[in-house]
Amino acid sequence: SAAEASADKRVNAFDERLASVEQSLVAVGSAAEALVDTRVGAFDERLVSMEHSLATMGSAAEASADKRVNAIDERLASVEQSLVAVASAAEASVDKRVGAFDERLVSMEQSLASMGSAAEASA
C-alpha cells in the first residue's frame, strides 16, 4: 500500500509535469502563431505598397508614352502639311513652266505658219 501510494504520487507528479509541458507548448504555439501572423501581415502590407508603387509607375510611364506619341503625331501632322505645301508649290511651278513652254510652242507654230504663208506667196 505504501508502494502503491508512492507510485500514485510519482504518477501524479509526472502527470502534473506533463500538463505543465503541454501548457508551455500551447503558449509557445500561440506565440509562434502570433509572430507568424504579424510577419505575414507586415509582408502583405509591403506587397500592397509595392503593388501601389508599380501601378503608379505604370500610370506615369503610360502618361509619358502617351505624351511622346502625341508629340510624334503632331510632328507627323506638321510634316504632312509641309509636304502638301511643297507638293502644291511644285505643281504650280510645273504648271507655270508648262504654260510658258506651251506659249512658246504656239508662238513658234504661228511663226512657222507665217513663214509658210510668206514662202507660198513668194513662190
Side-chain angles (χ1 to χ4, degrees):
S1 171
E4 219 175 88
S6 174
D8 282 345
K9 189 176 178 184
R10 287 180 69 192
V11 167
N12 286 341
F14 183 75
D15 198 29
E16 287 174 10
R17 283 176 56 200
L18 192 58
S20 175
V21 167
E22 286 177 344
Q23 288 175 348
S24 296
L25 285 175
V26 167
V28 166
S30 295
E33 189 176 335
L35 180 62
V36 167
D37 286 347
T38 300
R39 292 185 73 184
V40 166
F43 185 71
D44 193 38
E45 288 175 9
R46 285 176 56 198
L47 281 177
V48 167
S49 175
M50 287 170 61
E51 287 174 345
H52 288 304
S53 295
L54 286 173
T56 301
M57 286 171 32
S59 296
E62 189 175 337
S64 175
D66 286 346
K67 188 175 180 181
R68 290 176 70 184
V69 166
N70 288 340
I72 290 169
D73 197 32
E74 288 173 8
R75 286 172 56 196
L76 282 175
S78 175
V79 168
E80 285 174 346
Q81 289 174 350
S82 296
L83 287 174
V84 167
V86 166
S88 295
E91 189 175 343
S93 175
V94 167
D95 286 347
K96 185 177 178 182
R97 291 179 73 182
V98 166
F101 186 71
D102 196 34
E103 288 175 10
R104 286 174 55 199
L105 282 177
V106 167
S107 175
M108 289 169 70
E109 285 174 346
Q110 289 173 349
S111 295
L112 286 172
S114 294
M115 285 173 29
S117 297
E120 229 178 75
S122 116

